[in-house]
Amino acid sequence: MDKQVCNLTVFLMKDHVQEFKDCLKTPNSLSLSKLKSQYGLDGEIYYCGSNKRFPRWKPYLDELSNEPINISENASNKAVVLIHIQNRIMAMVFGYGRSFLREECLERNFGLKVALNIINPNKMRSINAATIEDMVVTTQRQASYSTTQDEFGLNVTNDIMKGLTGEPDDPVYGKHISGKDPLVVSVLMEGTELKEKLRLYYDAYKEERYKKIGSSLSGVVGL
């Protein structure tokens, strides 16, 4: 496979989850496919067939309309690839594949921590933050160009960062990075590089580079 831009959405499973089927809500209801040996990955693909159907509101529109409402059937496709990386399981989801995963097995803030450790602090594009006062208010602050965290006006006392988007220091990680619970990356690579990329993201998760950037950033992260 030639190099191409791949858009990956990656979750990390909690460290006590060691079996692929333990990650899934209903593993026995899904189809299973093994990964090709040429990629050097220990993993499996779980998926289910498409269910085509009209939107539930179409009959109501048909009832109201003087003419037939021409809306195509809609297919919701979903799949998840589960892979052992070092001593953990990582999950790549496609379509609505997250719905296969057991929420209690997901490592919270995995993507946020990776993003904090690899995004250039001068090339941030958007920040999701929770402001804690009389009530918790969640906001997304987006810049029209890459800039520093200071430009987003976060308050160290009241704001907690919940998500981050920006450009990494090193292009080996990808062109664009977004992190919350999942890590979302756009990266140019060959299929055979997937194992290396996942290892890079897992290694970045274990680091604490963001704590060395400055007290201002560390104060609003809440990790």
Side-chain angles (χ1 to χ4, degrees):
M1 184 186 297
D2 294 332
K3 284 200 173 188
Q4 57 182 309
V5 176
C6 298
N7 297 307
L8 306 178
T9 300
V10 184
F11 290 87
L12 178 67
M13 312 311 288
K14 290 182 177 177
D15 56 6
H16 70 268
V17 182
Q18 293 296 314
E19 300 294 332
F20 292 144
K21 289 192 175 182
D22 292 338
C23 304
L24 303 167
K25 294 175 182 175
T26 56
N28 294 333
S29 69
L30 303 177
S31 299
L32 167 64
S33 178
K34 299 290 186 179
L35 298 179
K36 289 182 178 177
S37 59
Q38 70 194 63
Y39 295 109
L41 292 165
D42 175 12
E44 297 174 342
I45 301 172
Y46 290 85
Y47 63 98
C48 67
S50 301
N51 294 318
K52 286 191 175 182
R53 59 182 180 180
F54 290 109
R56 61 184 179 183
W57 37 260
K58 184 179 184 297
Y60 180 66
L61 294 187
D62 286 333
E63 183 70 23
L64 293 175
S65 176
N66 216 8
E67 300 174 355
I69 300 296
N70 186 19
I71 294 177
S72 300
E73 288 181 301
N74 181 338
S76 58
N77 298 302
K78 43 193 172 183
V80 60
V81 182
L82 299 173
I83 299 171
H84 279 121
I85 296 294
Q86 297 187 35
N87 61 341
R88 302 289 287 270
I89 293 177
M90 301 181 82
M92 297 192 306
V93 301
F94 299 87
Y96 294 93
R98 177 173 180 165
S99 64
F100 292 160
L101 299 174
R102 294 171 57 193
E103 289 292 322
E104 67 270 22
C105 292
L106 302 180
E107 191 71 71
R108 299 301 174 189
N109 294 317
F110 161 67
L112 174 58
K113 194 170 180 183
V114 175
L116 285 165
N117 282 322
I118 66 178
I119 285 178
N120 186 323
N122 296 313
K123 292 186 176 182
M124 297 182 180
R125 291 300 301 267
S126 70
I127 288 177
N128 287 77
T131 301
I132 302 175
E133 293 178 330
D134 293 335
M135 66 176 68
V136 178
V137 178
T138 302
T139 59
Q140 178 169 345
R141 308 173 194 191
Q142 188 162 344
S144 57
Y145 55 88
S146 298
T147 187
T148 66
Q149 176 252 329
D150 293 337
E151 297 295 328
F152 292 94
L154 294 181
N155 185 313
V156 176
T157 304
N158 297 330
D159 291 339
I160 297 177
M161 191 184 297
K162 307 297 287 184
L164 176 64
T165 298
E167 300 174 36
D169 270 321
D170 189 335
V172 71
Y173 293 107
K175 184 172 178 59
H176 299 290
I177 302 288
S178 292
K180 292 183 180 178
D181 284 344
L183 174 71
V184 181
V185 300
S186 177
V187 59
L188 180 67
M189 68 175 191
E190 296 178 7
T192 53
E193 295 179 81
L194 178 58
K195 185 174 183 178
E196 174 192 346
K197 297 299 182 186
L198 293 178
R199 281 181 170 174
L200 281 174
Y201 301 138
Y202 180 59
D203 288 341
Y205 167 74
K206 294 186 292 182
E207 294 181 6
E208 295 187 338
R209 280 184 246 171
Y210 71 92
K211 292 185 177 180
K212 301 174 184 177
I213 295 173
S215 58
S216 177
L217 180 57
S218 300
V220 298
V221 171
L223 295 177

